[in-house]
Amino acid sequence: MSDLQDLYQEVIFDHNRNPRHFKKVDDANRKAEGFNPLCGDKLTLYLKVDEDGIITDAGFEGAGCAISVASASLMTDALIGKTEQEAEALFSHFHGMMMEEGKGGDAQRLGKLGVLSGVREFPTRVKCATLAWHTLQSALTEDDPEPTVSTE
Ligand code: ZN
Protein backbone atom coordinates (compact mmCIF):
# COMPACT_ATOMS: atom_id res chain seq x y z
CA MET A 1 0.00 0.00 0.00
CA SER A 2 1.34 3.44 -0.91
CA ASP A 3 1.98 6.24 1.58
CA LEU A 4 -0.82 8.20 -0.04
CA GLN A 5 -3.33 5.42 0.61
CA ASP A 6 -2.08 5.23 4.20
CA LEU A 7 -2.75 8.95 4.54
CA TYR A 8 -6.27 8.55 3.12
CA GLN A 9 -7.02 5.78 5.57
CA GLU A 10 -5.55 7.72 8.46
CA VAL A 11 -7.81 10.73 7.81
CA ILE A 12 -10.91 8.57 7.26
CA PHE A 13 -10.29 6.56 10.44
CA ASP A 14 -9.66 9.72 12.42
CA HIS A 15 -12.87 11.41 11.25
CA ASN A 16 -14.87 8.23 11.80
CA ARG A 17 -13.56 7.71 15.33
CA ASN A 18 -13.88 11.34 16.23
CA PRO A 19 -16.39 12.99 13.89
CA ARG A 20 -16.38 16.80 13.79
CA HIS A 21 -19.70 18.60 14.18
CA PHE A 22 -21.55 15.41 15.10
CA LYS A 23 -24.47 17.23 16.70
CA LYS A 24 -27.87 18.62 16.07
CA VAL A 25 -27.78 22.37 15.35
CA ASP A 26 -30.68 23.65 17.42
CA ASP A 27 -31.20 26.88 15.54
CA ALA A 28 -30.60 25.37 12.09
CA ASN A 29 -32.73 26.84 9.31
CA ARG A 30 -31.89 24.18 6.73
CA LYS A 31 -32.20 20.48 7.27
CA ALA A 32 -32.17 17.42 5.03
CA GLU A 33 -32.06 13.69 5.47
CA GLY A 34 -30.03 11.31 3.37
CA PHE A 35 -30.17 7.56 3.06
CA ASN A 36 -27.94 5.14 1.19
CA PRO A 37 -29.86 1.86 1.05
CA LEU A 38 -26.93 0.09 -0.59
CA CYS A 39 -24.96 0.26 2.64
CA GLY A 40 -27.54 1.38 5.21
CA ASP A 41 -25.94 4.79 5.83
CA LYS A 42 -28.34 7.38 7.21
CA LEU A 43 -27.75 10.96 8.14
CA THR A 44 -29.53 14.17 9.01
CA LEU A 45 -27.73 17.34 8.05
CA TYR A 46 -28.34 20.68 9.78
CA LEU A 47 -27.22 24.04 8.46
CA LYS A 48 -27.56 27.49 9.85
CA VAL A 49 -27.43 30.06 7.06
CA ASP A 50 -27.46 33.76 7.95
CA GLU A 51 -29.16 36.56 6.00
CA ASP A 52 -26.01 37.10 3.92
CA GLY A 53 -26.09 33.48 2.77
CA ILE A 54 -23.13 32.45 4.92
CA ILE A 55 -23.18 29.04 6.57
CA THR A 56 -22.43 29.93 10.17
CA ASP A 57 -22.93 26.47 11.62
CA ALA A 58 -23.29 22.91 10.35
CA GLY A 59 -23.78 19.57 12.02
CA PHE A 60 -25.00 16.07 11.36
CA GLU A 61 -26.44 13.08 13.15
CA GLY A 62 -26.89 9.54 11.99
CA ALA A 63 -25.29 6.17 11.65
CA GLY A 64 -23.34 4.62 8.87
CA CYS A 65 -20.09 3.11 7.75
CA ALA A 66 -16.70 4.74 8.36
CA ILE A 67 -16.62 6.35 4.92
CA SER A 68 -20.07 7.96 5.20
CA VAL A 69 -19.33 9.34 8.67
CA ALA A 70 -15.85 10.59 7.70
CA SER A 71 -17.26 12.23 4.58
CA ALA A 72 -19.99 14.04 6.55
CA SER A 73 -17.43 15.10 9.16
CA LEU A 74 -14.99 16.48 6.57
CA MET A 75 -17.83 18.16 4.70
CA THR A 76 -19.35 19.97 7.69
CA ASP A 77 -15.86 21.07 8.70
CA ALA A 78 -15.33 22.54 5.24
CA LEU A 79 -18.74 24.23 5.03
CA ILE A 80 -18.65 26.47 8.09
CA GLY A 81 -17.83 30.02 7.06
CA LYS A 82 -18.61 29.42 3.39
CA THR A 83 -21.37 31.09 1.41
CA GLU A 84 -24.11 28.98 -0.15
CA GLN A 85 -22.54 29.59 -3.57
CA GLU A 86 -19.16 28.40 -2.30
CA ALA A 87 -20.84 25.33 -0.83
CA GLU A 88 -22.46 24.58 -4.19
CA ALA A 89 -19.08 24.97 -5.90
CA LEU A 90 -17.54 22.61 -3.36
CA PHE A 91 -20.28 20.09 -4.11
CA SER A 92 -19.57 20.20 -7.83
CA HIS A 93 -15.80 19.83 -7.33
CA PHE A 94 -16.40 16.93 -4.98
CA HIS A 95 -18.85 15.31 -7.35
CA GLY A 96 -16.39 15.78 -10.22
CA MET A 97 -13.61 14.20 -8.18
CA MET A 98 -15.70 11.17 -7.26
CA MET A 99 -17.44 10.60 -10.58
CA GLU A 100 -14.95 11.48 -13.26
CA GLU A 101 -11.72 9.61 -13.63
CA GLY A 102 -8.52 11.58 -13.75
CA LYS A 103 -9.88 14.88 -12.49
CA GLY A 104 -6.91 15.43 -10.21
CA GLY A 105 -7.41 19.20 -10.40
CA ASP A 106 -10.59 18.91 -8.39
CA ALA A 107 -8.94 16.74 -5.74
CA GLN A 108 -6.22 19.36 -5.29
CA ARG A 109 -8.69 22.20 -5.03
CA LEU A 110 -10.55 20.33 -2.32
CA GLY A 111 -7.62 20.21 0.08
CA LYS A 112 -8.34 17.83 2.94
CA LEU A 113 -11.51 16.61 1.26
CA GLY A 114 -9.29 15.24 -1.49
CA VAL A 115 -8.50 12.25 0.73
CA LEU A 116 -11.90 10.85 -0.17
CA SER A 117 -10.78 10.45 -3.79
CA GLY A 118 -9.15 7.22 -2.55
CA VAL A 119 -12.67 5.80 -2.21
CA ARG A 120 -13.02 5.83 -6.02
CA GLU A 121 -11.02 2.62 -6.06
CA PHE A 122 -13.97 0.94 -4.32
CA PRO A 123 -16.93 1.74 -6.61
CA THR A 124 -19.51 0.26 -4.23
CA ARG A 125 -18.40 2.75 -1.56
CA VAL A 126 -18.61 5.88 -3.69
CA LYS A 127 -22.24 6.37 -2.65
CA CYS A 128 -21.15 6.24 0.99
CA ALA A 129 -18.78 9.15 0.32
CA THR A 130 -21.25 11.19 -1.73
CA LEU A 131 -24.29 10.71 0.56
CA ALA A 132 -23.53 13.72 2.78
CA TRP A 133 -22.98 15.85 -0.32
CA HIS A 134 -26.25 14.92 -1.98
CA THR A 135 -27.94 15.68 1.32
CA LEU A 136 -26.20 19.06 1.35
CA GLN A 137 -27.35 19.75 -2.19
CA SER A 138 -30.95 19.07 -1.23
CA ALA A 139 -30.69 21.14 1.98
CA LEU A 140 -29.48 24.08 -0.12
CA THR A 141 -31.82 23.81 -3.07
CA GLU A 142 -35.11 22.12 -2.15
CA ASP A 143 -38.13 24.24 -1.38
CA ASP A 144 -39.33 21.46 0.90
CA PRO A 145 -37.97 22.52 4.30
CA GLU A 146 -37.09 18.94 5.28
CA PRO A 147 -36.29 16.99 2.13
CA THR A 148 -35.18 13.37 2.17
CA VAL A 149 -32.72 12.10 -0.41
CA SER A 150 -31.78 8.59 -1.32
CA THR A 151 -28.74 7.61 -3.35
CA GLU A 152 -30.87 5.02 -5.18
ZN1 ZN B 1 -21.57 3.20 3.66
Side-chain angles (χ1 to χ4, degrees):
M1 200 172 267
S2 73
D3 289 349
L4 201 58
Q5 279 171 319
D6 282 348
L7 172 72
Y8 290 163
Q9 293 215 330
E10 184 80 11
V11 174
I12 289 170
F13 284 147
D14 175 41
H15 278 261
N16 178 49
R17 259 196 318 257
N18 181 20
R20 311 328 185 239
H21 315 291
F22 190 78
K23 57 165 188 192
K24 180 178 182 185
V25 177
D26 286 324
D27 51 355
N29 49 9
R30 304 287 172 84
K31 180 184 168 195
E33 293 188 3
F35 178 48
N36 173 19
L38 218 61
C39 178
D41 309 317
K42 251 183 167 163
L43 68 89
T44 305
L45 177 71
Y46 304 94
L47 298 176
K48 188 181 174 196
V49 183
D50 75 7
E51 59 272 20
D52 299 321
I54 295 166
I55 298 168
T56 56
D57 203 2
F60 70 103
E61 289 180 317
C65 66
I67 292 169
S68 70
V69 172
S71 181
S73 171
L74 284 158
M75 182 187 80
T76 46
D77 219 18
L79 287 177
I80 295 169
K82 296 249 184 337
T83 64
E84 286 178 281
Q85 282 90 340
E86 286 167 339
E88 297 258 8
L90 214 54
F91 169 82
S92 63
H93 290 315
F94 187 81
H95 203 258
M97 176 182 83
M98 297 307 288
M99 296 302 164
E100 290 156 52
E101 296 281 335
K103 285 196 74 179
D106 279 331
Q108 272 163 21
R109 218 171 327 186
L110 285 163
K112 216 195 302 175
L113 292 166
V115 300
L116 288 161
S117 68
V119 174
R120 268 197 320 218
E121 287 166 43
F122 310 96
T124 57
R125 310 312 292 279
V126 166
K127 284 182 175 171
C128 303
T130 55
L131 175 65
W133 293 85
H134 286 292
T135 309
L136 166 68
Q137 180 76 347
S138 94
L140 290 176
T141 57
E142 298 276 328
D143 291 332
D144 179 351
E146 294 192 6
T148 300
V149 293
S150 169
T151 55
E152 287 301 285

